[in-house]
């Protein structure tokens, strides 16, 4: 997925998905949090975006 570079961002206007992201909280061990950050960094995206893509790619 693109990082959105070159796309003009407008407040309260979603860029990648049909809805805006909202803040939510999950609890992870330090190991899992660091693993998540590492995996996201390898893809050049945030931890939040990594989880978003993972869940959207997971078959129902």
């Amino acid at each position: 997925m693109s990082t959105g570079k070159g796309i003009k961002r407008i407040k309260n206007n979603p860029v990648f998905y049909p809805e805006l992201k909202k803040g939510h909280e999950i609890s992870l061990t330090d190991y899992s949090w660091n693993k998540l950050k590492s995996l996201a960094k390898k893809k050049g995206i945030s931890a939040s975006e990594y989880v978003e893509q993972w869940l959207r790619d997971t078959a129902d």
Side-chain angles (χ1 to χ4, degrees):
M1 171 169 277
S2 168
T3 60
K5 292 182 180 174
I7 298 174
K8 182 173 180 167
R9 305 284 178 133
I10 301 171
K11 186 175 182 176
N12 296 322
N13 188 19
V15 175
F16 297 120
Y17 307 108
E19 59 188 320
L20 289 172
K21 288 185 179 182
K22 294 191 279 183
H24 296 279
E25 182 179 329
I26 61 172
S27 297
L28 300 170
T29 63
D30 285 341
Y31 171 83
S32 293
W33 176 244
N34 290 325
K35 179 80 172 187
L36 173 59
K37 289 192 304 182
S38 175
L39 292 168
K41 186 175 182 180
K42 286 179 186 176
K43 290 185 81 175
I45 57 178
S46 67
S48 170
E49 185 59 24
Y50 188 91
V51 172
E52 180 84 29
Q53 289 181 16
W54 169 64
L55 290 171
R56 287 179 178 272
D57 290 343
T58 302
D60 290 325

